[in-house]
Amino acid sequence: MSERKISLITMGQGNMKALKKTLDSFKDVCNEVVYGDLLIFEEDRLLLKEYQKEYNLKIVPLVFNHIFKNGFAKTLNDIAFHATNDFVLYMNTSEVVDGEQRILRLMNEMFHEYNCFAFDHAQESHSWFRLYNRHEVWWDGVIHEELIGNRKDCPYYLFRMKDEEKDNDDTFKAKVYNDIKEICYFYQY
């Protein structure tokens, strides 16, 4: 049986140090990263280009207010469109594996039965279905988006996720990132 390949999809308006932690956490699992560039500050974009040297990173340029205008689901589908693998894993900037990850082992054992895989979170009680076959399921919904289509959910968690701190070393940039996020959420609600 051949090993399944996974594309990591993520996006951001900044928080490049937190992004690096996410990329490092999944570098042994995902052979490709597709990043939705919603960046606001040019110095962040320069740092993102530096990350291309270390990761198989494909940058998808988006206008900074793409989520505000189109919603999260469309943005995620737009980014996943650029993946070369059938299976994609969506992780937000600053989300990392907490403890053991069994992604590749379980994927290789069960990919023929399931097209949607989940992880859990120590502080949240629901299942986070974010690893999926992009040709069989896709994102829908304005906020708290979910995967729809011909879902075949795997009953086992692939890993536990935890949130790392966002970048706080530049208080101005941290406030800008947070304000834009809050305005976007308010508009979507």
Side-chain angles (χ1 to χ4, degrees), residues 1-17:
M1 174 187 338
S2 65
E3 186 173 290
R4 305 308 290 176
K5 295 189 188 294
I6 302 170
S7 298
L8 173 67
I9 64 169
T10 188
M11 62 183 148
Q13 294 180 314
N15 293 302
M16 302 313 288
K17 291 177 184 172

Side-chain angles (χ1 to χ4, degrees), residues 8-41:
L8 173 67
I9 64 169
T10 188
M11 62 183 148
Q13 294 180 314
N15 293 302
M16 302 313 288
K17 291 177 184 172
L19 173 63
K20 178 106 169 78
K21 292 176 185 175
T22 300
L23 297 176
D24 285 341
S25 186
F26 293 97
K27 70 182 177 187
D28 295 331
V29 174
C30 300
N31 70 321
E32 163 184 73
V33 178
V34 183
Y35 183 81
D37 175 356
L38 301 156
L39 297 171
I40 300 163
F41 299 105

Side-chain angles (χ1 to χ4, degrees), residues 99-159:
E100 177 194 9
Q101 57 89 353
R102 307 175 300 163
I103 299 172
L104 292 177
R105 181 174 54 79
L106 284 175
M107 279 284 298
N108 287 324
E109 292 173 6
M110 300 182 202
F111 78 91
H112 58 282
E113 294 178 53
Y114 306 107
N115 63 8
C116 244
F117 297 84
F119 55 85
D120 71 345
H121 190 289
Q123 283 81 38
E124 303 282 340
S125 60
H126 66 279
S127 299
W128 301 63
F129 283 91
R130 294 223 209 128
L131 176 62
Y132 61 98
N133 185 321
R134 66 188 179 95
H135 300 293
E136 297 174 8
V137 296
W138 56 92
W139 294 99
D140 192 36
V142 177
I143 200 160
H144 301 298
E145 58 287 339
E146 66 179 294
L147 291 166
I148 64 166
N150 183 25
R151 280 180 62 161
K152 295 177 270 184
D153 295 350
C154 179
Y156 308 107
Y157 290 128
L158 297 174
F159 62 93

Side-chain angles (χ1 to χ4, degrees), residues 69-87:
K69 291 166 59 176
N70 300 294
F72 289 94
K74 179 169 179 6
T75 303
L76 291 170
N77 291 330
D78 289 349
I79 296 167
F81 174 80
H82 295 278
T84 57
N85 298 314
D86 294 340
F87 280 91

